Structure formats: C-alpha cells, structure tokens
Amino acid sequence: MNTRFDAIIIGAGPAGSTAAILLARAGWSVALVEKQRFPRRKVCGECLAASNLPLLDALGIGAEFDASAGPELRQVALMQGQRTFIADLPAADPPNRAWGRALGRETLDTLLLAQARASGAVVFQPWSVLALGGSVGDHRCDIRAIGSDHREMLHAPVLIAAHGSWEPLPTGRAERRLARQPGDLFAFKANFRHASLAPGLLPVLSFEGGYGGMVLADQGLTTLACCIREDRLEACRRLNPGLSAGDAVEAFLKQACHGVAQALGPAQREGAWLATGPIDPGIRLQAGDAQFRIGNAAGEAHPIIGEGMSMAMQSAWLLCAQLLQSDGASDGLADSAWQSEVRRSYAAEWRRHFAPRLRLAASLAHLAMRPGLTSPWLGLLGRWPVLMTQGARRGGKVSCAISPATVSWLAAGVSARCARPAAATPAHRDPG
Ligand SMILES: Cc1cc2nc3c(=O)[nH]c(=O)nc-3n(C[C@H](O)[C@H](O)[C@H](O)COP(=O)(O)OP(=O)(O)OC[C@H]3O[C@@H](n4cnc5c(N)ncnc54)[C@H](O)[C@@H]3O)c2cc1C
C-alpha cells in the first residue's frame, strides 16, 4: 500500500471532502482519513445556504444535490413563545441558484466523499488518526482501521486538519475548554415525518436558555436542531423524569415555543435524538500550527445562523486556492517558508470572510437565549420584517467567499505546479 502522499486530510465532513476533491483534481496525491462509516447521521440543521450551490456544481455533485434536497428556502421566521414573525430570505446570484435547500448529512457527506474518491483521493475509512508526528513539510500520521489492529503510518509534506470541533486531534494542543460550566451549550437534532412545517420556511427558534431551527429537508423529513444550555437541560430533565435527554428537550420546546408544538403536532420522530457537546464557538487558527485547518477545525460560529457547512466548504476552497496558486513557485511542498506564507495568507482570508459571521452569530445567539430581554423589541420585526432579511444577508446566506473566477479555475483542476516543466517537478513527488 502506498503510504506517501502530497497531502493527508483528516476528516471527511464537508470541509475535508471538498479539499480532497480540489487537490486530487489538481494532480496532488491525497489521503483522506475518516473514522466513521458513511452514511451516518450527524447533529446539524442541514440547511445549505444558496451561496454554496455553485460550489457543489463545480465539485460535480450539483445535480445529485438538486435531485435529493428539500424545497427551496424562500422565507425565514423567528418563533419565540406564542409569536412567529416571517420575512423573505434574500435571493443569491446566479438566479438559477438563488435559494438554499436542506439535505440530510447522511446524503450530503456521502455524495462529497464519493466524489473525492472518484477524483482520485485515497480514502481510508473507517480509519482513525491515533497520533501525529513529524513537523512542517514532513508529517507522519499514525492511523488504525476501526475494529481491527491494522495500523499504517502515512507520510506527507502537507497536513490538513478537517476533523470538526467535537473531538480533539492527538496533537497535544488543547482544543477546547475542559472545565464544564452551566452556560455550556449542548446540541440536539432529530428528524420527523408528517410535520406540518410550511415547505420553504426556515424558522429560527428562540427560547430561554437556547436557540434552534427547523426545516423541511429531503425525503419529506423535517429536521429540528437546537442548542441548549446545560443548566436549562438539567431543568428539562428534572421536569420530565424518565425521559431521555432528547425527549425532555422535545417536550420543553413544544411547551416553550408554539411554532414547534404546531409543526410537530401531527409528526412522528424518525430515528433517535442525536446529541453532542458542549460546542465551543470561536476561532481556532493559530500562527504556530504545523497543519492547515479548515471547517470547524479552523473556527466555528454559533449555529443559529446555520452557516457552518458554508464555512467548512468555503474555507476548503480558500485554502486550496492558496495552495494551488503557488505550489509551483516553491522548492516543493515540503518547503516550510512556502507553507508559512500560505498559512499566513489563508488565515487572513479566513478572518476577512468569516470573523464577522462569528461575531454576528454570537450576538444573535445570546439575544435568542434571553427571550425576557428581547421580547419587548420583537414588535419591530413585525413592523419591519426586512430586518430579518438583512440579518440573513449579513449572516452569509448569499455571499460566497470564493469568486466565480476562482471557482472556475479550481474546478478545472489546474495547479501552478502542473504548469511547470516536468524536469522542475520536486523530487519528493515520487513516493519511491
Ligand atoms: C445544532 C447545530 C445545527 C447546525 N445547523 C447547521 C445548518 O443548518 N447549516 C449549516 O451549514 N451548518 C450547521 N451546523 C454546523 C455544521 O454542522 C458544521 O459546521 C459542519 O459539520 C462542519 O463541517 P466540517 O467538515 O468542518 O466538520 P464535520 O462535519 O464535523 O466533519 C468532521 C469529520 O472528521 C471525522 N473525524 C474526527 N476526528 C477524526 C479522527 N481522529 N480520525 C479520522 N476522522 C476523524 C468525523 O468523523 C467527521 O466525519 C450546525 C451545527 C449544530 C451543532
């Protein structure tokens, strides 16, 4: 088995698979390591903003997405207590890709991973990363097949962390706060059949101690996902002894939010409640990193704006654009000065595009979790629904971090290195 690659990517969520497709298409040898078997359900609201649809087209899975995803999302709502406010969502460009849609993660992630494999990435699945070693330009990745003792040591000059934010990588770097606090947010998600949610409506839920969202996704299933403070979760469980945490949250949401009770009234849950947490929104990029970070591994917004998959996919495009536009100008992919420069310019681009979304999401999340504070002001939304339309626009629903020219260039699979004469191709490309 070949164990030497140009790049190792850890994690095959939207970020990792996107990067694998783009790099493999450009002629890099890529190892993609994913520890879970697909298809798998995942805690997520499953709404993909319209700004990503041209990216899916360029990755070659736009048609499959269209064939599977739920209805076009044309309106946003805020549901708090007895009240519901509805506004139009902004339309994106181009006109044939104006509206976001929702697709279960079991389908979306499987489509992306299949495309990574078809593009030439070598997929290790289900394999888990046990340890990382080496240094910039000379990474070692110790992986083990799940359910067996089979281990391999992968080598590559470029290492990309796309492992999400819920589990740390074995790097030694502390990735999350260890001390638990009452304000820690736990995330829940369930799917429901026969819910009465209007197709194309994207309600945001605001309730004491948390926030969430609902959407009609693929196969007629409605997804409900939410984040809830640990102290509120404990209170829900005390009120509903004997219920699982997910069932206790469902009972609380139906009681706290009329819109949820109405939508789920006739519904039957399909599959179990999923839970994870605590989530830890914030920026994780650091100047001293040896690896490149994309998706939630680079930074995470409060999911109230439903932009995590956008940031995951778009950060992969941003990084790959940086890697591929200059990979022929360096002394090879192992060149640490070249990697530092790519890391610096990628981090600057990441912050420029995504840091404002993180700040907006944090403000909205803290307001949504305090209905006592926000309730008196909600009348403004009734009078000026355009405020919600503008909020969705500022949250990133229609703006893509990748220019159409970059999309075309990366989709074509051309890197600066490919343009170099063969004699100048760095020696390390040959795994021997
Ligand atoms: C409640 C909630 C609702 C949300 N709603 C939305 C929404 O509506 N729209 C939206 O765009 N975003 C939403 N998000 C955010 C979105 O789910 C994430 O931002 C997105 O999944 C991040 O993608 P990623 O590729 O970075 O990581 P992930 O999707 O987390 O993928 C990481 C992958 O890495 C693998 N992995 C981890 N560790 C290892 C290891 N050691 N070895 C091998 N593999 C490993 C994991 O198995 C996983 O498959 C929501 C999040 C929450 C919590």
Side-chain angles (χ1 to χ4, degrees):
M1 181 193 293
N2 179 25
T3 56
R4 291 187 180 275
F5 297 89
D6 291 331
I8 301 168
I9 301 174
I10 305 170
S17 288
T18 298
I21 296 167
L22 295 174
L23 294 179
R25 270 192 194 165
W28 285 36
S29 58
V30 175
L32 178 58
V33 187
E34 168 57 52
K35 67 186 208 177
Q36 291 196 289
R37 288 180 201 280
F38 285 7
R40 56 103 173 79
R41 296 175 71 221
K42 190 169 173 75
V43 178
C44 183
E46 309 189 318
C47 296
L48 197 63
S51 54
N52 300 289
L53 303 189
L55 303 182
L56 294 186
D57 290 335
L59 294 175
I61 62 162
E64 286 95 332
F65 179 86
D66 289 347
S68 310
E72 291 178 340
L73 300 171
R74 290 175 177 250
Q75 288 192 306
V76 61
L78 178 69
M79 294 179 170
Q80 185 186 85
Q82 296 296 312
R83 299 196 282 177
T84 296
F85 300 93
I86 298 181
D88 289 337
L89 276 165
D93 277 333
N96 67 331
R97 286 313 205 179
W99 310 105
R101 296 168 70 180
L103 179 61
R105 292 292 298 268
E106 49 275 58
T107 305
L108 179 65
D109 291 23
T110 304
L111 283 175
L112 283 164
L113 179 59
Q115 191 67 341
R117 195 179 266 118
S119 304
V122 177
V123 178
F124 292 85
Q125 183 191 36
W127 287 65
S128 183
V129 173
L130 296 181
L132 295 172
S135 55
V136 176
D138 179 24
H139 293 282
R140 290 191 307 276
C141 188
D142 184 6
I143 62 172
R144 182 170 68 84
I146 303 286
S148 95
D149 293 332
H150 188 175
R151 285 173 78 151
E152 294 287 349
M153 185 68 81
L154 306 182
H155 301 261
V158 172
L159 179 65
I160 299 177
H163 60 288
S165 54
W166 300 343
E167 300 158 85
L169 272 190
T171 54
R173 169 178 151 178
E175 303 224 5
R176 59 164 62 207
R177 279 182 297 110
L178 293 178
R180 294 273 288 271
Q181 291 165 7
D184 280 347
L185 282 177
F186 286 83
F188 288 83
K189 167 255 185 76
N191 300 109
F192 296 86
R193 194 166 292 286
H194 306 309
S196 65
L197 187 67
L201 181 66
L202 180 56
V204 174
L205 315 177
S206 155
F207 53 88
E208 191 62 48
Y211 57 82
M214 293 190 290
V215 71
L216 179 56
D218 52 310
Q219 301 175 49
L221 289 176
T222 292
T223 301
L224 189 162
C226 67
C227 291
I228 185 164
R229 283 172 56 111
E230 178 159 32
D231 48 5
R232 172 56 53 184
L233 180 60
E234 287 307 313
C236 292
R237 299 202 73 176
R238 276 197 303 276
L239 279 174
N240 297 283
L243 289 191
S244 71
D247 285 331
V249 168
E250 183 180 331
F252 168 65
L253 290 179
K254 284 175 172 165
Q255 171 252 313
C257 209
H258 175 67
V260 176
Q262 208 172 34
L264 298 190
Q268 289 158 355
R269 200 178 68 237
E270 196 150 299
W273 274 97
L274 301 181
T276 189
I279 65 163
D280 193 11
I283 299 179
R284 299 186 176 85
L285 293 171
Q286 283 181 9
D289 276 337
Q291 72 271 63
F292 298 101
R293 293 173 161 264
I294 53 177
N296 274 23
E300 178 178 10
H302 273 274
I304 190 165
I305 59 170
E307 278 296 302
M309 288 190 286
S310 305
M311 289 167 48
M313 293 180 51
Q314 293 175 28
S315 62
W317 281 79
L318 284 179
L319 174 64
C320 292
Q322 295 287 340
L323 289 169
L324 294 174
Q325 79 185 359
S326 59
D327 63 351
S330 69
D331 290 335
L333 303 184
D335 182 352
S336 61
W338 170 72
Q339 288 206 19
S340 299
E341 181 50 29
V342 169
R343 190 170 290 104
R344 193 197 57 72
S345 36
Y346 162 67
E349 285 284 285
W350 194 100
R351 285 172 193 276
R352 184 163 75 83
H353 289 287
F354 303 134
R357 291 188 206 182
L358 263 67
R359 287 194 291 271
L360 176 70
S363 310
L364 293 177
H366 289 286
L367 289 172
M369 288 191 278
R370 294 172 176 81
L373 197 68
T374 52
S375 176
W377 301 97
L378 286 191
L380 293 177
L381 297 182
R383 198 173 304 171
W384 293 299
V386 70
L387 292 173
M388 286 198 283
T389 309
Q390 287 300 342
R393 188 183 296 282
R394 290 197 53 205
K397 288 283 169 244
V398 292
S399 50
C400 185
I402 319 300
S403 71
T406 303
V407 173
S408 311
W409 162 58
L410 281 187
V414 181
S415 82
R417 193 173 53 164
C418 292
R420 298 179 86 186
T425 304
H428 77 267
R429 277 214 65 199
D430 180 2

